Amino acid sequence: MSSGEPSALALGGQLVAGRLGEVHTALLARLGAGGDVRVDAGGVEGIDASGFQLLVAFRQAVEGQGRRCTWVRVSEVCAHAARRLGLERLVFGPQTDDARGAP
Amino acid sequence: MSGEAERLRRLQAQVFDTFRDETAEGLARLETQLLALDADVDRAHVDELFRVVHTIKGGAGSFGLRAMAELAHAMEAHLDQLRKGASPTPAGVAALLEGADALRALLDAPGDVPRDTYAALCARLAEASAPNASGASGGSGPSATPARPRRVAVDLVPGLDFVASGIDLALLLEQLAELGPTTVDVDARAVPPLASLDLGALALRWRVTVETTTAPEAIELLFAWLGDTCAVHARAADDTRPADAPRAAQAGASSKAAQKAPARVDASVRVPIEKLDDLMNLVGELVIAGSALHEVERGDLNAPDRRARAREALARLDRLTRGMHESVLRMRSLPVGLVFNRFPRLVHDLATRLGKDVRLEVRGEGTELDKTVLERLGDPLVHLVRNSLDHGLETPDARREAGKSATGTLRLTAEQSANEVVITVEDDGRGLDPQRIFRRAVERGLVAADAALSEAEMQRLILAPGFSTAEQVSDISGRGVGMDVVASTIQALGGELSLHSVVGAGLTVTLRLPLTLAIIDGQLVRFGGRTWVLPLGAIAECARVEPGALDAVLGRGLVYAYGDESLPVLDPCAGLGLGGVPPGGRLVMVLEAQGERVALLVDEVLARQQIVVKSLEQHLRAVPGLSGATVLGDGAIAFILDVPGLRRACPVAHPRRVASARVGAPS
């Protein structure tokens, strides 16, 4: 990570229906902070369609403000779930393969 | 449990209930279709079977019911062979029927079933599915030519309760992938801004393009069990017409208005839209009638026609209220076919076991009956059908000897007639043998050897508890229990049972059932310090007990003189567990049930009124003598007495428990 890059927003644990409130709040806070956003999803242990929808909404919000949203890590669980739901490109964009597992 | 978690749990239970209801219906259809497979095989028929099993498999998979999904998968694989042109074999059909039974068992107890519980059955299905297991063309005949795959676009639009339902959308996508190669596109345009995102609703929409031989309509059917939880719309991929899905998509979007949509109720009855329309029309008229009444109230107090107009408006309100009541009761109605559906299988199995050739004819399956009546009708009908097969219908040889066709006919018919539904169970077997009935009755001491019995008396004998003319007890029927229970059940439902037999030509059992049970005319009475309800139709007489009017018969207890008859006087307090409270014995009610009369001692006779019947809690259903309960005008609960049950439950009153002045000298 270069010193000019923003610190990554780390997501962890379960991003599943009924347990998204805290993540939603954190994403809103990060959105308000300005600048490009780097998301670290390496700690995600479980995620379902509503969890992905939250990430999609976040990404749309960031990019809607003319900022960039990139992923520094994606856990295997998260990547597998996205593949099963056909959401890889929508959530992570075309750089997913490069980002997966990257430190 | 938090409110949100509880809401989620309830919604998940509701979705599962829908799956269970639809699976039960699918299994009933499956069984009927499988039995028809014996004689008639066509592609559409097998396709229908395949669809039913595939839908069950999909639903079970989505709920994580692995044993059920795997069994359905094995059945589906076998049916797929039939779709490809293989001929059905008896072993294959038997395994499929066994599979249907097992699916039903799994549906009733979905939890804690190890995955390999049905491994042996799955193996048999697999064996029957092997290409060389049947006389199948195995894909070489013209019918086995596979259809050319085409691209079908399938839109999945989650509804408002999708997230709460707990259904894994990825499993739905995997089920589509089983139909052929897929590509998945997700549309996120309807996802609201992050700040206003509803975390409990999915606004993403999936479009899956699948290369498959399965028709779009068939794909929609596969997911029909999802209902409004997730709209599934399939069409040929080159069909440019807009998908129908937005209807549900709008529901899926998190608009506040949509979120106020009414929640589904716990116990559900599917109501055809025209019945709801009828009710809506009545409600509309009710509003108009209410306005007319307000007009009268607001008008000139001294107008000469004011009273007449008020009376007219009230009469209209009365009519509409009755109409609404009937309309709501009609919504509780379900087709008799739901009960009749079980008989093709039963008749098939029993006829095979008994070595008889029986053709079942079913008519009037669409006739509707109240849900409660229908639920309690199943067992009596099973008994009647078993009786017909076991005792009525003859073996092919015996039928030929009697000059009949080798195949016997059992006909189940339902039809509506005025305010009742008439169900008949009719066979062309040997009919009832009056001489044998009479002989058995004499042997059992029920009638004198020189008695001359009328047809009604003969019928009463047949319906007497424990009476049977069967020479041998079998596990099918003939234990001497049953016909009286059948008659009691029908009577408890407010209906009647009658028999018509022609020796050598057959027996017809006719059940007359009320269209609804929800309201009865009742007589309120008091005894044992409580208020009770007697069905008005069961009361033959109510009289004050004059001094000495009750006779004490040694060894038999009290009797009441009713015309030429001496009726046993029942002690309801002893029979209903109020033993410590002796009946005052001021009044006697003569009650009729199944052609027999009894007298019942009560303390007081109160009002006659229409009674709204409530069903009893499970633990009270076992109490003989009670058929239901009602809430009285003052909010008190009163039990509704079941006269045949009372006759069984209540002992004959002992002279010592009744005021001595009312009892004459022992005779």
Side-chain angles (χ1 to χ4, degrees):
Chain A
M1 189 188 299
S2 72
S3 58
E5 283 185 331
S7 61
L9 169 67
L11 302 177
Q14 299 286 334
L15 269 66
V16 295
R19 299 170 72 171
L20 296 172
E22 280 183 24
V23 182
H24 189 204
T25 307
L27 294 177
L28 281 170
R30 186 65 190 81
L31 184 66
D36 291 344
V37 180
R38 298 169 70 240
V39 184
D40 179 354
V44 173
E45 293 164 358
I47 184 164
D48 63 9
S50 50
F52 279 122
Q53 178 174 263
L54 179 59
L55 299 183
V56 168
F58 177 66
R59 186 177 164 190
Q60 285 179 339
V62 171
E63 293 178 352
Q65 293 178 0
R67 295 148 58 189
R68 288 181 61 216
C69 179
T70 53
W71 300 79
V72 292
R73 281 196 319 164
V74 178
S75 72
E76 191 49 46
V77 170
C78 190
H80 178 68
R83 257 197 316 276
R84 286 179 77 214
L85 286 163
L87 285 164
E88 271 183 309
R89 183 167 290 266
L90 189 65
V91 178
F92 305 121
Q95 36 67 311
T96 310
D97 291 341
D98 303 333
R100 189 174 313 143
Chain B
M1 191 181 284
S2 73
E4 179 59 12
E6 173 61 19
R7 192 181 72 87
L8 284 175
R9 189 199 60 74
R10 255 199 332 265
L11 281 168
Q12 284 174 14
Q14 283 172 3
V15 176
F16 185 75
D17 283 350
T18 305
F19 165 70
R20 188 165 46 203
D21 288 351
E22 297 197 353
T23 302
E25 282 175 26
L27 285 172
R29 220 162 52 238
L30 177 73
E31 208 164 74
T32 308
Q33 301 269 359
L34 280 173
L35 292 166
L37 204 60
D38 282 347
D40 173 29
V41 187
D42 65 44
R43 174 65 192 256
H45 192 142
V46 178
D47 280 349
E48 164 68 4
L49 288 170
F50 186 86
R51 274 197 295 273
V52 169
V53 175
H54 189 84
T55 305
I56 293 171
K57 176 181 142 184
S62 302
F63 286 106
L65 305 174
R66 289 187 170 185
M68 198 169 179
E70 286 179 15
L71 179 54
H73 179 74
M75 292 169 72
E76 187 189 68
H78 181 60
L79 288 165
D80 198 35
Q81 289 299 317
L82 302 185
R83 286 208 309 175
K84 288 174 179 164
S87 303
T89 61
V93 172
L96 287 169
L97 283 169
E98 207 178 314
D101 288 342
L103 288 177
R104 196 173 282 122
L106 285 167
L107 191 64
D108 291 339
D112 300 332
V113 180
R115 282 178 71 172
D116 59 354
T117 303
Y118 294 101
L121 178 55
C122 289
R124 260 191 299 134
L125 282 161
E127 197 177 318
S129 306
N132 60 354
S134 68
S137 55
S140 60
S143 63
T145 307
R148 209 168 145 196
R150 58 177 178 161
R151 292 170 69 233
V152 176
V154 184
D155 289 328
L156 301 174
V157 184
L160 268 180
D161 61 353
F162 184 86
V163 171
S165 74
I167 291 172
D168 184 351
L169 204 136
L171 287 172
L172 304 182
L173 300 181
E174 283 169 10
Q175 282 163 37
L176 282 168
E178 284 183 18
L179 301 176
T182 57
T183 53
V184 181
D185 294 299
V186 186
D187 183 351
R189 282 174 298 178
V191 174
L194 183 68
S196 57
L197 184 67
D198 180 349
L199 302 177
L202 264 189
L204 293 168
R205 301 176 201 174
W206 278 257
R207 170 162 296 175
V208 182
T209 308
V210 54
E211 274 192 57
T212 181
T213 54
T214 309
E217 301 76 28
I219 293 176
E220 287 184 354
L221 273 174
L222 296 182
F223 294 97
W225 64 273
L226 284 164
D228 291 339
T229 305
C230 182
V232 177
H233 181 81
R235 63 197 158 89
D238 51 3
D239 184 349
T240 52
R241 283 174 302 171
D244 232 1
R247 187 167 46 90
Q250 286 156 5
S254 56
S255 80
K256 294 294 174 198
Q259 287 185 35
K260 285 180 183 167
R264 267 186 273 169
V265 292
D266 284 337
S268 60
V269 174
R270 289 187 206 176
V271 180
I273 195 79
E274 61 268 23
K275 288 186 180 177
L276 284 174
D277 288 343
D278 287 348
L279 184 62
M280 280 302 294
N281 289 338
L282 285 168
V283 171
E285 286 186 44
L286 195 66
V287 172
I288 295 168
S291 304
L293 206 53
H294 280 298
E295 279 298 314
V296 175
E297 192 267 334
R298 279 197 296 266
D300 180 2
L301 290 177
N302 298 317
D305 63 342
R306 184 169 180 261
R307 197 180 174 86
R309 282 169 54 211
R311 200 179 298 129
E312 190 185 322
L314 284 170
R316 191 170 172 197
L317 274 177
D318 272 354
R319 269 198 313 276
L320 288 168
T321 311
R322 271 199 304 277
M324 285 176 70
H325 175 232
E326 284 167 14
S327 178
V328 172
L329 291 182
R330 276 200 296 276
M331 288 185 194
R332 286 175 49 93
S333 300
L334 293 170
V336 171
L338 290 176
V339 172
F340 281 4
N341 276 347
R342 70 170 78 170
F343 292 110
R345 174 74 186 276
L346 182 71
V347 170
H348 169 271
D349 289 356
L350 281 182
T352 306
R353 255 176 82 187
L354 295 164
K356 294 180 179 180
D357 200 357
V358 181
R359 180 177 59 243
L360 175 67
E361 291 178 9
V362 178
R363 293 178 190 164
E365 303 102 307
T367 310
E368 293 193 336
L369 259 175
D370 184 88
K371 186 170 180 281
T372 311
V373 179
L374 208 58
E375 280 167 358
R376 293 172 65 182
L377 189 62
D379 288 344
L381 281 178
V382 166
H383 187 84
L384 295 175
V385 167
R386 282 169 172 260
N387 257 352
S388 269
L389 272 123
D390 202 13
H391 305 307
L393 292 162
E394 311 91 332
T395 59
D397 287 345
R399 289 182 67 85
R400 273 190 287 266
E401 274 175 33
K404 299 177 177 178
S405 69
T407 303
T409 301
L410 177 66
R411 191 172 293 125
L412 281 173
T413 311
E415 61 178 344
Q416 188 177 336
S417 162
N419 281 328
E420 60 185 11
V421 167
V422 181
I423 293 179
T424 50
V425 181
E426 180 184 358
D427 68 56
D428 65 348
R430 54 172 68 95
L432 297 172
D433 182 345
Q435 288 178 346
R436 191 193 281 185
I437 292 166
F438 184 72
R439 208 165 48 236
R440 185 57 58 95
V442 172
E443 282 168 16
R444 298 195 50 192
L446 296 173
V447 294
D450 58 350
L453 298 182
S454 65
E455 194 172 340
E457 287 165 326
M458 197 74 90
Q459 182 164 314
R460 202 180 300 164
L461 274 178
I462 296 163
L463 300 180
F467 188 86
S468 172
T469 60
E471 300 296 343
Q472 287 183 319
V473 169
S474 74
D475 62 345
I476 296 169
S477 58
R479 288 193 180 87
V481 291
M483 278 308 280
D484 62 315
V485 178
V486 171
S488 308
T489 307
I490 300 303
Q491 192 151 14
L493 289 171
E496 283 177 14
L497 179 152
S498 61
L499 306 168
H500 176 69
S501 167
V502 177
V503 180
L507 172 69
T508 303
V509 182
T510 303
L511 312 178
R512 295 182 174 277
L513 294 154
L515 272 179
T516 175
L517 269 188
I519 290 191
I520 61 165
D521 288 321
Q523 171 71 62
L524 302 185
V525 297
R526 276 188 77 79
F527 60 80
R530 293 164 190 251
T531 302
W532 308 80
V533 180
L534 280 166
L536 208 54
I539 301 172
E541 184 182 277
C542 171
R544 184 172 295 281
V545 179
E546 300 301 334
L550 302 177
D551 291 323
V553 179
L554 287 177
R556 283 181 58 195
L558 288 180
V559 295
Y560 173 71
Y562 179 71
D564 297 335
E565 291 181 74
S566 291
L567 304 180
V569 177
L570 302 184
D571 180 348
C573 296
L576 294 168
L578 307 166
V581 188
R586 282 195 294 274
L587 296 159
V588 66
M589 313 286 293
V590 176
L591 308 173
E592 281 185 333
Q594 295 173 9
E596 284 188 27
R597 295 191 187 93
V598 291
L600 189 75
L601 287 176
V602 302
D603 294 335
E604 206 175 341
V605 174
L606 307 171
R608 284 180 184 182
Q609 63 184 63
Q610 287 203 315
I611 299 293
V612 178
V613 181
K614 308 280 183 191
S615 53
L616 292 172
E617 292 292 326
Q618 192 68 40
H619 65 283
L620 283 171
R621 286 183 199 161
V623 178
L626 304 183
S627 65
T630 192
V631 181
L632 299 175
D634 61 0
I637 306 273
F639 288 109
I640 301 164
L641 297 169
D642 160 42
V643 177
L646 274 182
R647 213 182 57 194
R648 288 195 299 273
C650 298
V652 176
H654 193 280
R656 276 204 300 271
R657 280 177 56 81
V658 177
S660 58
R662 298 187 176 90
V663 180
S667 56

